[in-house]
Amino acid sequence: MGSLDDRELVFATYLAPCIAPVYEFVATTVGEKLDRPTRLIVGESFDQVRNAEVDFAFLCGLPYVRLKRENPEAVEAIAAPIIQGERYEKRPVYFSDVIVPARSPAAAFEDLRGRSWAYNEPDSHSGYLITLSTLVEMDETPQFFERWEMTGFHQESIRLVAADRIEGSAVDSQVLGIELRDHPELAGRIRVIGTLGPSTIQPLVATAAVPPGLRHEVIEIIAGLGSIESERRSLSAGMVDRFVAIDDSAYGDIRSKLKAVEEAGYLQA
């Protein structure tokens, strides 16, 4: 292994594949600015973050707060995107849009009682935790839905709803925006009947493998992206306006939802 100053920096993404081109751009640009090799991989296990087998990770807020709770030194939130669009108010937030098939009679989340529900995975805040926390707030249980179906990705949840095979789902609003932009035929097959959130958006985290000085350099590089047209085009592939520096205090909203759901007994602590 090389020295800390010249070894390859490994970025991992644990997020939706449709946003991967932005993460690839970020990793490549960091390498160019630091004059050192970088590589983006698809994360296979959170142990890669936990054990500092990767240097940086694009991580959902739910596993981030869990990893931080488990070992505060293991991860540090350092940056997060601002998504394009007025609804985001130039803040590092996103939403979980509640979608149903276009012909569904449902007009609100409450109308989905006894229906089938798709979620991407149990480590997702936008697709899973926020749904459970909404049920807690409604004084309901997970049995509110007749059936839960794990799909693996938000894109698959969207397609199952569009095909009228599932009666509802909460999907990451950034992912939904990209999918409707790139696959406009989906627009006429689904309806948004509600919105959960906003929630603090998924962070880029540094692992324990990254010394403080390097963390600071990477934050400066990423927060500066978007100053030229070519960078703006690359960010727009994922509907990202820019990145901003962020820290752990921004994720209190997700912590509070996780606590409420755990106290209700809907998740293992």
Side-chain angles (χ1 to χ4, degrees):
M1 180 179 290
S3 72
L4 285 175
D5 293 330
D6 63 12
R7 71 168 177 83
E8 178 184 60
L9 297 177
V10 179
F11 288 71
T13 173
Y14 294 83
L15 302 177
C18 64
I19 315 177
V22 172
Y23 306 146
E24 184 73 55
F25 163 68
V26 170
T28 298
T29 303
V30 167
E32 291 171 350
K33 299 287 187 182
L34 293 177
D35 192 25
R36 61 193 295 177
T38 57
R39 176 166 52 105
L40 177 73
I41 66 170
V42 175
E44 297 179 353
S45 165
F46 295 128
D47 282 343
Q48 294 168 294
V49 178
R50 181 181 286 111
N51 300 329
E53 296 167 18
V54 300
D55 300 288
F56 299 96
F58 295 95
L59 198 62
C60 178
L62 175 56
Y64 165 70
V65 300
R66 282 174 163 158
L67 287 166
K68 192 73 172 176
R69 179 172 66 182
E70 175 187 305
N71 178 5
E73 304 303 318
V75 287
E76 179 185 0
I78 62 171
I82 304 290
I83 307 305
Q84 296 170 346
E86 291 185 6
R87 71 187 299 198
Y88 301 99
E89 299 180 335
K90 301 187 184 300
R91 298 187 297 149
V93 299
Y94 70 137
F95 300 87
S96 296
D97 287 329
V98 179
I99 62 171
V100 297
R103 294 184 293 180
S104 170
F109 185 92
E110 292 80 1
D111 297 333
L112 296 174
R113 181 190 301 276
R115 307 289 186 174
S116 56
W117 183 259
Y119 67 101
N120 54 334
E121 58 165 322
D123 286 311
S124 169
H125 169 71
S126 59
Y128 190 64
L129 178 68
I130 199 168
T131 301
L132 290 175
S133 69
T134 299
L135 294 175
V136 171
E137 292 165 6
M138 294 169 60
D139 199 25
E140 297 283 356
T141 72
Q143 285 67 48
F144 176 84
F145 298 113
E146 183 271 333
R147 175 168 60 92
W148 293 71
E149 181 167 331
M150 187 175 72
T151 65
F153 294 102
H154 282 299
Q155 293 105 303
E156 182 64 15
S157 298
I158 294 167
R159 281 159 178 76
L160 287 174
V161 172
D164 209 6
R165 292 170 54 192
I166 289 287
E167 295 170 283
S169 185
V171 298
D172 178 319
S173 60
Q174 181 186 10
V175 174
L176 182 61
I178 294 169
E179 289 297 295
L180 294 180
R181 179 197 67 192
D182 295 348
H183 305 278
E185 70 279 2
L186 292 171
R189 296 160 58 189
I190 63 172
R191 288 188 297 113
V192 176
I193 62 168
T195 296
L196 310 180
S199 304
T200 307
I201 200 165
Q202 305 100 328
L204 172 65
V205 305
T207 73
V210 184
L214 179 56
R215 295 184 190 195
H216 181 72
E217 286 184 278
V218 171
I219 291 169
E220 286 195 332
I221 292 168
I222 294 175
L225 294 175
S227 60
I228 59 176
E229 180 59 29
S230 62
E231 293 178 350
R232 289 191 288 273
R233 285 196 303 269
S234 294
L235 293 173
S236 289
M239 297 186 69
V240 174
D241 181 61
R242 59 193 174 93
F243 282 83
V244 294
I246 204 164
D247 61 34
D248 182 67
S249 65
Y251 292 89
D253 60 326
I254 296 177
R255 284 192 174 88
S256 65
K257 286 179 171 55
L258 177 58
K259 180 181 179 182
V261 170
E262 287 178 338
E263 288 180 347
Y266 298 168
L267 285 178
Q268 293 298 316

